[in-house]
Amino acid sequence: MNATEHLVELYYRQRNNLTFTDFKVEGGNNRQFDVLAYHKPTDKLRHIEVSVTHWMSKNDSTALDNLEEKFNRKFFGAPRFSTNENSDFQKGVNYKNRIQEAYKEFGFEWNKVIRVWCLWTYPSDEQITQFKNLMAKQHNLKQENFEILSLRDDVIPFLQKQIGTSNYDNHILRVLSLLNQSQIQKDES
C-alpha cells in the first residue's frame, strides 16, 4: 500500500468503515483491490482504487477522458491493451468472474458494490454525472454504484479536521496532526 492509498484507507476507517487493503484477486494476473471499505450501518461495500501521484496538478486529474479504460480494467476485469501475443489482451482473457468471486468472498453481490476512483481533485459535476451514466449503462448497474473521490478536497481536509491534536499510533495521522498544529501556530504568530 502506498501513501495515498493509506490516506484513503484512513479516511474510510475514520468514517467508521472496516477496511481491507491490497486484497489479491485469486487467479488474477496482477489483480488486486487497493482498498475495500465496509460500512456496517448502511451495509455498503466500497471498492476503492487510488490514482494520485505527488506531481498531479489540478488540470492533471480533472478530465475523465482516460478513466474509462482504468475503470474497466480495475473494476470489471478488462485486460490492458497490448500487442504482445502472450498478453491477456491478445488472448481475450477477462477477470470479471474472478472479481465477482472476490466480492462474494466478502459476502457482497456484484450489483451492490460501490466502485470508487480517487483522483487528486474533481472534474466538473457534469463530467462526473456523464461518466457515472456511461459506466452504469456499459455495465448494467446503477449510477449509485460509482463514486469519484478527491484526495485534495475530501480525504485530506476530513482527516485534518477529524484528528485534531490527539497523539496517534498511526504515523500518517500523527504527521497530519503535527502539520495542522504547525500551521495553526504560524497563523497565530
Side-chain angles (χ1 to χ4, degrees):
M1 175 171 48
N2 66 38
T4 55
E5 292 167 0
H6 194 166
L7 284 166
V8 170
E9 184 269 335
L10 290 168
Y11 170 81
Y12 282 100
R13 193 172 353 139
Q14 292 291 315
R15 297 171 67 93
N16 299 319
N17 284 259
L18 300 171
T19 59
F20 193 106
T21 60
D22 292 330
F23 178 80
K24 308 286 188 250
V25 175
E26 188 175 326
N29 181 12
N30 294 319
R31 297 291 168 160
Q32 73 175 42
F33 302 157
D34 288 349
V35 180
L36 292 174
Y38 174 62
H39 190 251
K40 175 112 173 100
T42 59
D43 195 35
K44 291 185 178 179
L45 178 72
R46 285 177 170 79
H47 170 183
I48 305 109
E49 293 295 328
V50 182
S51 65
V52 175
T53 60
H54 69 283
W55 52 264
M56 285 192 151
S57 71
K58 183 176 179 180
N59 294 331
D60 290 329
S61 62
T62 54
L64 296 176
D65 299 339
N66 65 352
L67 198 54
E68 181 180 351
E69 182 270 332
K70 292 177 182 177
F71 252 78
N72 286 331
R73 186 168 30 88
K74 294 298 279 186
F75 296 121
F76 300 100
R80 184 186 312 257
F81 175 80
S82 175
T83 57
N84 181 331
E85 65 184 42
N86 294 320
S87 69
D88 287 344
F89 182 81
Q90 292 298 324
K91 291 178 180 178
V93 176
N94 184 294
Y95 294 97
K96 180 178 177 181
N97 290 338
R98 305 239 186 220
I99 293 170
Q100 285 176 315
E101 289 302 313
Y103 291 157
K104 283 182 187 176
E105 283 184 47
F106 289 93
F108 283 89
E109 298 173 31
W110 176 258
N111 63 345
K112 291 186 179 179
V113 174
I114 300 169
R115 291 128 179 112
V116 182
W117 200 274
C118 183
L119 300 167
W120 177 244
T121 189
Y122 289 114
S124 71
D125 288 340
E126 182 180 331
Q127 281 181 302
I128 291 173
T129 300
Q130 289 173 354
F131 185 76
K132 287 178 174 183
N133 286 334
L134 173 70
M135 289 291 99
K137 187 174 183 179
Q138 274 186 20
H139 299 287
N140 198 28
L141 294 168
K142 297 177 182 175
Q143 190 180 29
E144 295 78 35
N145 289 103
F146 304 95
E147 294 177 356
I148 302 292
L149 182 68
S150 167
L151 191 75
R152 185 192 78 179
D153 301 326
D154 294 324
V155 175
I156 293 172
F158 175 82
L159 289 173
Q160 286 177 316
K161 182 179 177 187
Q162 186 74 15
I163 59 176
T165 59
S166 297
N167 205 356
Y168 285 89
D169 290 333
N170 182 287
H171 296 303
I172 289 182
L173 290 178
R174 184 65 181 138
V175 168
L176 285 175
S177 178
L178 291 168
L179 290 172
N180 280 350
Q181 287 308 303
S182 172
Q183 189 59 50
I184 288 168
Q185 290 175 15
K186 283 180 184 178
D187 292 345
E188 290 174 349
S189 299

